[in-house]
Each structure stands twice: as structure tokens, then as C-alpha cells.
Amino acid sequence: MASVASDLSLALADNAEAVCRRYLSNGRKEGRYWLVGDVHNTPGRSLYVRLSASPDGRGAAGKWTDAQSGDHGDLLDIIAAARNCRTMRETLDEARRFLSMPTPPPIEASPARRTKAPTGTPEAARHLRAASKPIAHSLVATYLATRHITDLSGCEALGYHPRCWYRASEDDDAAVLPAWPAMIAAVTDLDGTVTGVHRTWLALDGSDKAPVAYPRRAMGHLLGHGVRFGRSGRIMLAGEGIETMMSLRQVMPTTAAIAGLSAAHLAAILFPAGLQRLYVARDDDPAGAGALATLTERATATGIEIVPLEPQLDDFNSDLRAFGRDRLAANLRVQLRAEDSELFLQKG
């Protein structure tokens, strides 16, 4: 199977631009690259596919990288995501159809072998989430404590994997380890179905993120979904990062929250039924401003009130670490609606 996949991957690379035009139709060609938002054909420029080999031979045609999430792969991964393929065989069959190649006769699978889910699919994400352990007393708890996040109530979306595979990139040292401890965050839809996961690779002692080029990566179907803390209600928090939302919950522990994982995905989150007011903890950068503007436009059209929350530094975890809980709470108190401040903000 590996040899067949490699051969098809090479054949697809020889037709990289045609593959992109078929499966990433919302993108556009710029020079040697095809630019699009992500593997699910979202409009944007975060993901770039190399259409031809680089002159120095270091970059191969058909390889792609998502600058937002750090994910990368080949054109088989693109096809798997675009067609929501559930197995490698489905992905290979779709690739053969695109290349006008005959489909080989079916081979009866051994009942003892478990089919591995294609990389980057929701199925693969669910497998990884299922293999994760609770975070209590784990290296995840150790790491979060270094970020001054110690109240882990309502964090059922988070898990711990002691040896999560890390696919090295061209930016990594040649001797980088193939697996690291990791915080696994489940990305779910409004019904609670896992559609993806976000991975944060950690140092072997949990003291920091792992010393790799891209310690954070997401996979699966992310658009519209997010990492959820607490049960949805009429008043909620939303923001980009997991640590940002957990930082706010250190002083607002009963407020439901959702982390969109990036500015683009925050702007696209789906609103749960019954939501009346959404506090948006924006990052202090142009992307954060853009996400807030888009969310405000979408929410206003449905009668949902958007209230921005501004950090004093670049984000709310920086505020928590620099100033502590009392000052973080004081900054939030002047931004929350008065009735919400009394209801949700933990007394100092």
C-alpha cells in the first residue's frame, strides 16, 4: 500500500496545478504556488501548494504547508480532505479517478488488521482523541501551570498523549524526535461530535512547548467548530487560543467558552442555539481585529450581541502571567456588562 500511495503521489505531483484546480478551486495560482485558506478549500492564503520543484531541489512539487496551523503533506492528503475520504483505499481510488487510471480489483482485508485512518481526517482526529488520557496529574497539567493556568474545571475537551507522533518539517533539526508528549484538544461541532483535534507538543518534562519548529498543529474539519469549555448558554466567551480561553476561565470559571484556534476560524464559528451575548477575547493584532469585525457582522444579523474584550498586553494569557488573577479580573470587570460581571466574574 505504501508503494502504491507513493507512486500515486508522484503522479499527482506531475499534475499539481490540475489537482489544485479540481480540489482547491477557491484558491489561485501565484508564481510557483497555489494559495488557498486550508485543505478544506476555504478561501484565503494560509495554505500554499508547491506546483513545481524548487530550483535547488529542496522543495518537491505537490508538497503543501498551512502557515496557520503548521500542517503539511502531499496531494493525497488534499484529496482525502476534499472528498472526506474515510480510508486510504477511498483516497487512492479517488486519485486514480482523477488520473484516469484503472481501479485494481478489491483485495479482501484481513479481519485482524485495523485500517488506519488517512492523515488529517476527522476519523484520524477521533482515533487520536480516543487514545488520549485525562490531563489531571499529567505533563499537560504541568505545562499549563507554567502558564499560570491551574483551575482545570470544565476542561473535558483536553487530553494527554505521552507519545504523539510529530512529522518533522524542513525547518526542523535533522535530529528532532519523532514523538513528544502532547496536549490533545478535541474540536467539536454544535452537537458535540469530534471533527478534529489540536495538538500542542510539549517538552519531555512539561516545562514548555517541545523544541520543534511547529509545536502547535490542528487536523480534521475545523471550520465553524472549536475547542469547547463548559456547556453552551445564552452568554459565552470566544477567542482564538486554547490558553487564552483557559486564562479567562481562571477568573470566570462558570462561563462557557470556545476557542476557534486561529483568527480565520474564530471569525467562522457557528453560533449555538439560544446564544444572546458573545464576549470576544480578541488578540491585539490585525488578524484579531479582522476576526472581531467579521463576527460582529455575522452575529448582528442574527440578533446576537458582540462585546469585545481587550487584553492589556498581546493576549489574556500574557495578562494572567504578567499581572495575576486579581488584575486580570479588574480589567475584565470594566469591560463586561454589569449584570454579567456580578454573575460570572469570580470575586477576588
Side-chain angles (χ1 to χ4, degrees):
M1 181 70 79
S3 176
V4 172
S6 297
D7 291 344
L8 284 174
S9 182
L10 291 173
L12 292 170
D14 290 337
N15 300 272
E17 184 173 340
V19 174
C20 291
R21 291 189 182 280
R22 168 76 69 84
Y23 299 102
L24 299 175
S25 58
N26 286 325
R28 58 182 295 179
K29 180 181 179 181
E30 291 193 14
R32 295 177 178 270
Y33 298 93
W34 188 269
L35 304 182
V36 72
D38 56 33
V39 292
H40 306 296
N41 200 24
T42 305
R45 299 171 57 87
S46 176
L47 184 144
Y48 52 96
V49 183
R50 188 180 292 277
L51 300 179
S52 58
S54 60
D56 59 9
R58 294 185 60 188
K63 298 296 184 181
W64 59 270
T65 299
D66 189 327
Q68 185 72 47
S69 68
D71 287 344
H72 55 92
D74 60 17
L75 293 172
L76 283 174
D77 297 321
I78 296 293
I79 289 176
R83 290 293 184 261
N84 195 22
C85 297
R86 294 170 297 175
T87 65
M88 177 59 79
R89 185 172 185 84
E90 287 184 9
T91 303
L92 299 181
D93 286 347
E94 174 64 24
R96 290 189 185 95
R97 283 191 289 271
F98 173 81
L99 295 166
S100 300
M101 297 172 63
T103 301
I107 300 174
E108 185 175 351
S110 169
R113 295 189 61 184
R114 180 179 179 181
T115 302
K116 182 179 178 181
T119 301
T121 64
E123 184 183 1
R126 286 190 281 271
H127 286 177
L128 181 56
R129 180 68 181 95
S132 302
K133 305 175 181 179
I135 64 172
H137 311 296
S138 73
L139 289 182
V140 171
T142 300
Y143 165 73
L144 291 174
T146 70
R147 314 294 289 179
H148 293 199
I149 298 171
T150 54
D151 183 352
L152 303 182
S153 58
C155 293
E156 291 78 9
L158 303 183
Y160 166 61
H161 198 295
R163 285 183 54 81
C164 183
W165 180 60
Y166 175 79
R167 180 166 53 179
S169 72
E170 294 178 355
D171 298 324
D172 277 299
D173 186 276
V176 67
L177 294 176
W180 297 83
M183 179 170 70
I184 308 298
V187 177
T188 55
D189 62 16
L190 293 176
D191 295 324
T193 301
V194 176
T195 64
V197 294
H198 182 275
R199 297 153 291 176
T200 302
W201 282 275
L202 306 176
L204 297 179
D205 61 358
S207 61
D208 204 343
K209 297 179 186 67
V212 296
Y214 300 102
R216 289 175 171 153
R217 288 178 182 165
M219 69 175 182
H221 291 175
L222 310 181
L223 194 65
H225 313 312
V227 179
R228 302 173 192 275
F229 302 92
R231 182 172 297 180
S232 298
R234 63 183 186 86
I235 300 171
M236 295 183 64
L237 299 168
E240 293 183 36
I242 294 170
E243 293 171 26
T244 292
M245 305 320 296
M246 295 184 75
S247 296
L248 289 175
R249 281 176 57 88
Q250 299 304 290
V251 294
M252 300 177 67
T254 63
T255 312
I258 177 171
L261 301 178
S262 72
H265 288 103
L266 171 61
I269 59 170
L270 299 177
F271 303 127
L275 180 64
Q276 298 176 10
R277 182 178 299 139
L278 184 65
Y279 286 98
V280 181
R282 55 156 292 191
D283 287 0
D284 189 16
D285 55 29
L292 175 61
T294 301
L295 264 181
T296 300
E297 181 178 356
R298 290 181 54 228
T300 301
T302 62
I304 297 171
E305 179 188 12
I306 294 290
V307 181
L309 297 178
E310 302 278 351
Q312 293 179 281
L313 300 176
D314 58 324
D315 63 38
F316 282 102
N317 185 248
S318 294
D319 284 7
L320 176 63
R321 288 184 289 132
F323 307 130
R325 293 190 184 190
D326 288 347
R327 186 163 163 184
L328 173 61
N331 180 39
L332 291 171
R333 186 168 285 109
V334 298
Q335 299 186 66
L336 297 174
R337 296 288 184 260
E339 60 271 30
D340 298 337
S341 175
E342 291 299 319
L343 183 61
F344 294 112
L345 195 60
Q346 194 173 55
K347 301 297 188 294

